[in-house]
């Protein structure tokens, strides 16, 4: 009995200690003030209406990294297209751009009428590049995929095999011209079947030093021109021609410059890939994600690519064609958890501010960085971050800076579906709530705009009463809509996201939940809690840049 009393007493003190730690953590949150400054005179960039994009890959279930096989049946060849969550998840964007490609795309043949290649599936072979043999896309599967894309309302970008006809040299380079025959047969089949393709992309990670192998800028530009000529011929009877996209590789200033110089007007979109967090096995990924200085490092890539496009006077625009943050399939409970929305939304904001038109997330499903869970198809936190961005952030990007906490990331766009602006605030600090005032060029802040709005409405009503007519309210009521995103139980590695304190999850039929804001008095600052993300719609701000 005495020993039982001692154990009970010990448990009681442990309980008190744990309770006190929770209490201390809860009460140690400090509150600071900050200001986001927005220049509303001119926009600094303009994104595509369908800026949000996600990828579907070719990796078979046998794809493993660091002893973990995270791809399951998420390949273009075996994905369950009948899953209702998958259909609803894509449909919710209306439309979602889908880029079909990835590492193995340059080892894919197409089972078409040319009959030159047997339609064999990928098999493990450690001696082959990327550890797999050549694979094949059966046309029956392409029919199934195309039917799904049409039903889901997706915009499809297809990555073509750019290594066809080339030989891999001893130095790792790929020599010879691109053999267009199999691709031509596949594209003609696609057109004859009436399948809509938003763009054709040539190759995956073959630019610069390449991954696995590489193609020179001179040869790649020649091949790109061949693709453009081919598409001009195949689509000559069509009302519109798909985009011509390349190179789908990591940014290399010299290679990209030479490629642009030689492609002339044959290129519509220049794509680059981003895995700036390093390998998925890195145990310090979260530290990098929460480090503002580390996040800032990728701005140079966006800035340099934008400057190269301007300097060559090309009509081609920049896209991020693939971005998973951490390469080799990401890291479980990091790149598929709440904390990754800090990196992802910051990337979307940063890319937009440098006039990147589209941003393709690796992946829609598959690996440890999917927007959807690879096994259950249930949306991961980043899915909801992407959907909110897609629905709220308009095409025009505003110059934004923040004064106050160094842990706040701030971005602003004109609102997408109504007047006013959208502000995105990301708090990387777990111990601080930031009360944010919004100020505009010329020194007008949110509170002043609030009072100005009141005066204008009062005058409008007075004039209406004098004329004995009802005033037509052009401006919404004096509130703003806010969307606060937090992790379940405050756990940054949770795969459950809360919107305004409510769990986001699909229902029993696989329906995507509605994303409903809270409404806040506009005279109050925007409160950004610890480790949280806030989208705030300020409807009564009418800036010149947003006209």
């Amino acid at each position: 009995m005495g020993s039982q009393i001692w154990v009970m007493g010990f448990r009681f003190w442990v309980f008190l200690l744990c309770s006190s730690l929770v209490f201390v953590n809860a009460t140690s949150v400090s509150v600071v003030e900050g200001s986001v400054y927005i220049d509303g005179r001119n926009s600094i960039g303009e994104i595509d209406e369908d800026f949000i994009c996600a990828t579907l890959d070719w990796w078979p279930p046998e794809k493993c990294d660091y002893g973990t096989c995270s791809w399951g049946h998420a390949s273009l060849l075996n994905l369950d297209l009948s899953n209702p969550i998958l259909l609803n998840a894509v449909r919710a964007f209306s439309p979602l751009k889908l880029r079909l490609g990835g590492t193995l795309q340059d080892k894919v043949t197409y089972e078409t009428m040319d009959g030159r290649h047997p339609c064999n599936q990928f098999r493990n072979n450690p001696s082959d590049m990327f550890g797999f043999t050549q694979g094949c896309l059966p046309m029956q599967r392409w029919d199934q995929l195309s039917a799904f894309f049409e039903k889901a309302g997706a915009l499809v970008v297809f990555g073509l095999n750019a290594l066809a006809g080339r030989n891999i040299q001893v130095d790792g380079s790929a020599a010879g011209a691109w053999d267009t025959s199999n691709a031509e047969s596949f594209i003609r089949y696609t057109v004859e079947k009436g399948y809509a393709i938003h763009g054709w992309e040539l190759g995956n990670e073959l630019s610069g030093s390449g991954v696995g192998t590489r193609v020179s800028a001179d040869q790649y530009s020649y091949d790109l021109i061949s693709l453009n000529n081919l598409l001009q011929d195949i689509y000559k009877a069509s009302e519109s021609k798909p985009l011509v996209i390349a190179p789908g590789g990591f940014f290399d200033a010299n290679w990209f410059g030479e490629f642009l110089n030689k492609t002339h007007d044959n290129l519509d979109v220049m794509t680059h890939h981003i895995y700036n967090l390093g390998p998925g096995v890195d145990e310090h990924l979260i530290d990098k994600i929460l480090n503002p200085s580390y996040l800032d490092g990728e701005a140079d890539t966006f800035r340099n690519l934008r400057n190269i496009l301007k300097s060559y006077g090309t009509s081609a625009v920049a896209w991020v064609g693939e971005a998973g943050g951490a390469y080799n399939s990401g890291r479980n409970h990091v790149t598929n958890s709440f904390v990754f929305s800090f990196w992802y939304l910051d990337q979307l904001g940063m890319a937009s501010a440098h006039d990147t038109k589209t941003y393709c997330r690796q992946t829609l499903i598959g690996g440890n960085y999917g927007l959807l869970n690879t096994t259950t198809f249930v949306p991961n936190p980043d899915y909801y971050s992407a959907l909110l961005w897609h629905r709220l952030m308009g095409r025009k990007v505003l110059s934004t800076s923040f004064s106050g906490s160094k842990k706040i990331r701030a971005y602003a766009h004109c609102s997408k579906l109504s007047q006013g602006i959208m502000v995105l605030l990301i708090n990387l600090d777990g111990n601080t709530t930031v009360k944010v005032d919004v100020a505009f060029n010329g020194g007008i802040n949110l509170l002043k705009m609030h009072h100005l709005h009141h005066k204008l409405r009062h005058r409008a009503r007075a004039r209406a009463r004098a004329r004995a007519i009802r005033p037509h309210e052009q401006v919404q009521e004096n509130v703003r809509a806010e969307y606060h995103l937090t992790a379940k139980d405050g756990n940054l590695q949770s795969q459950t996201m809360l919107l305004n304190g409510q769990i986001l999850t699909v229902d029993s039929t696989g329906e995507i939940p509605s994303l409903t804001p809270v409404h806040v008095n506009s005279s109050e600052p925007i409160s950004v809690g610890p480790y949280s993300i806030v989208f705030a719609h300020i409807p009564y701000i009418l800036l010149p840049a947003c006209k």
Side-chain angles (χ1 to χ4, degrees):
M1 178 66 72
S3 61
Q4 290 178 344
I5 293 173
W6 183 88
V7 170
M8 290 176 65
F10 176 77
R11 288 174 177 169
F12 174 74
W13 284 109
V14 169
F15 171 77
L16 283 181
L17 177 60
C18 293
S19 298
S20 66
L21 287 175
V22 171
F23 177 77
V24 168
N25 287 338
T27 58
S28 64
V29 174
S30 60
V31 179
V32 301
E33 296 180 350
S35 295
V36 56
Y37 296 92
I38 299 172
D39 187 338
R41 292 170 291 192
N42 298 288
S43 61
I44 59 172
E46 189 168 310
I47 61 175
D48 286 342
E49 187 78 18
D50 37 58
F51 172 76
I52 296 292
C53 168
T55 68
L56 287 170
D57 216 307
W58 295 98
W59 288 118
E62 295 79 16
K63 160 67 172 172
C64 304
D65 302 280
Y66 319 116
T68 301
C69 308
S70 60
W71 285 85
H73 288 80
S75 164
L76 285 160
L77 296 172
N78 57 32
L79 181 63
D80 180 8
L81 302 176
S82 66
N83 187 288
I85 301 177
L86 178 66
L87 178 63
N88 292 335
V90 177
R91 270 182 170 170
F93 284 83
S94 301
L96 176 64
K97 262 184 194 145
L98 289 176
R99 182 249 185 180
L100 317 184
T103 301
L104 294 183
Q105 82 176 51
D106 293 311
K107 305 191 77 171
V108 176
T109 57
Y110 318 112
E111 183 198 35
T112 56
M113 295 300 292
D114 65 1
R116 294 174 54 187
H117 307 280
C119 199
N120 299 322
Q121 295 310 302
F122 292 112
R123 290 182 293 103
N124 273 122
N125 188 343
S127 63
D128 269 41
M129 185 170 63
F130 307 126
F132 287 89
T133 62
Q134 294 283 117
C136 175
L137 173 62
M139 289 303 94
Q140 181 182 9
R141 180 59 177 177
W142 181 231
D143 294 341
Q144 294 168 353
L145 286 164
S146 298
F148 172 81
F149 298 142
E150 182 178 9
K151 187 176 182 181
L155 295 178
V156 177
V157 172
F158 192 97
L160 294 165
N161 178 351
L163 289 182
R166 306 189 205 270
N167 296 309
I168 309 300
Q169 304 300 294
V170 176
D171 66 356
S173 64
W178 176 49
D179 182 347
T180 64
S181 57
N182 190 224
E184 178 177 357
S185 181
F186 175 58
I187 296 170
R188 289 191 183 279
Y189 176 90
T190 300
V191 172
E192 288 167 5
K193 297 287 282 189
Y195 300 151
I197 299 294
H198 188 67
W200 295 97
E201 184 177 30
L202 183 61
N204 181 82
E205 297 178 357
L206 302 174
S207 58
S209 57
V211 176
T213 187
R214 63 186 183 276
V215 177
S216 70
D218 181 67
Q219 181 60 57
Y220 216 122
S221 60
Y222 176 86
D223 300 327
L224 190 280
I225 292 171
S226 296
L227 173 61
N228 187 38
N229 290 338
L230 186 64
L231 295 178
Q232 293 285 359
D233 178 56
I234 295 175
Y235 285 91
K236 60 187 175 185
S238 302
E239 294 182 2
S240 60
K241 182 175 77 71
L243 298 171
V244 181
I245 305 171
F250 293 100
F251 178 71
D252 179 304
N254 293 331
W255 194 100
F256 273 48
E258 182 181 353
F259 179 67
L260 268 179
N261 187 46
K262 294 181 177 180
T263 54
H264 306 294
D265 296 325
N266 290 272
L267 181 69
D268 296 313
V269 178
M270 176 160 268
T271 48
H272 67 109
H273 294 181
I274 295 175
Y275 288 91
N276 63 318
L277 296 175
V281 73
D282 187 349
E283 296 182 356
H284 302 287
L285 290 179
I286 292 178
D287 295 333
K288 292 178 179 178
I289 292 167
L290 298 177
N291 184 339
S293 297
Y294 195 93
L295 296 179
D296 286 338
E298 194 61 26
D300 287 340
T301 300
F302 292 117
R303 185 180 303 110
N304 291 337
L305 178 53
R306 179 190 61 189
N307 291 342
I308 284 175
L309 290 170
K310 284 184 177 180
S311 66
Y312 281 92
T314 177
S315 59
V317 298
W319 285 15
V320 172
E322 181 182 313
Y327 58 81
N328 290 343
S329 304
R331 185 179 182 87
N332 195 24
H333 299 299
V334 176
T335 53
N336 53 11
S337 70
F338 177 82
V339 72
F340 209 50
S341 278
F342 293 140
W343 175 85
Y344 181 40
L345 286 171
D346 188 66
Q347 277 281 298
L348 298 183
M350 188 182 296
S352 299
H354 290 87
D355 209 28
T356 300
K357 305 301 184 184
T358 286
Y359 194 106
C360 298
R361 166 63 178 265
Q362 174 83 346
T363 58
L364 174 63
I365 186 168
N368 287 319
Y369 36 34
L371 296 179
L372 306 178
N373 182 284
T374 302
T375 304
T376 66
F377 291 76
V378 170
N380 285 321
D382 280 2
Y383 173 84
Y384 296 111
S385 294
L387 188 56
L388 278 171
W389 175 289
H390 176 75
R391 291 180 177 178
L392 301 175
M393 304 294 273
R395 296 189 64 186
K396 292 185 178 180
V397 188
L398 304 174
S399 177
T400 307
S401 61
F402 189 83
S403 174
S405 170
K406 294 181 180 179
K407 292 278 190 149
I408 289 285
R409 315 287 287 182
Y411 300 98
H413 287 221
C414 301
S415 180
K416 188 168 190 176
L417 297 179
S418 61
Q419 68 183 29
I421 63 170
M422 288 299 312
V423 179
L424 169 61
L425 299 166
I426 304 168
N427 188 357
L428 304 176
D429 192 327
N431 297 308
T432 304
T433 292
V434 185
K435 301 289 187 178
V436 179
D437 182 36
V438 182
F440 301 86
N441 54 288
I444 300 178
N445 63 25
L446 190 57
L447 188 58
K448 291 180 181 177
M449 292 293 285
H450 169 80
H451 290 316
L452 178 60
H453 170 62
H454 255 313
K455 290 180 180 179
L456 291 175
R457 289 183 64 200
H458 178 75
R459 290 173 184 172
R461 284 174 173 166
R463 287 195 298 269
R465 284 194 297 269
R467 296 171 184 162
I469 60 174
R470 293 183 62 185
H472 179 65
E473 296 287 340
Q474 292 288 341
V475 181
Q476 296 181 27
E477 289 300 318
N478 200 34
V479 295
R480 65 173 178 268
E482 294 183 355
Y483 304 78
H484 292 253
L485 302 176
T486 53
K488 186 176 184 292
D489 300 325
N491 177 12
L492 290 183
Q493 293 181 262
S494 172
Q495 292 177 321
T496 300
M497 177 179 269
L498 307 184
L499 171 60
N500 300 321
Q502 301 299 311
I503 290 176
L504 290 172
T505 186
V506 297
D507 65 17
S508 58
T509 65
E511 286 293 326
I512 302 300
S514 59
L515 305 178
T516 306
V518 292
H519 292 92
V520 180
N521 190 312
S522 294
S523 65
E524 298 294 326
I526 302 171
S527 181
V528 190
Y531 287 149
S532 74
I533 298 162
V534 180
F535 289 89
H537 177 216
I538 307 175
Y540 52 83
I541 302 298
L542 306 179
L543 300 176
C546 297
K547 289 182 179 179

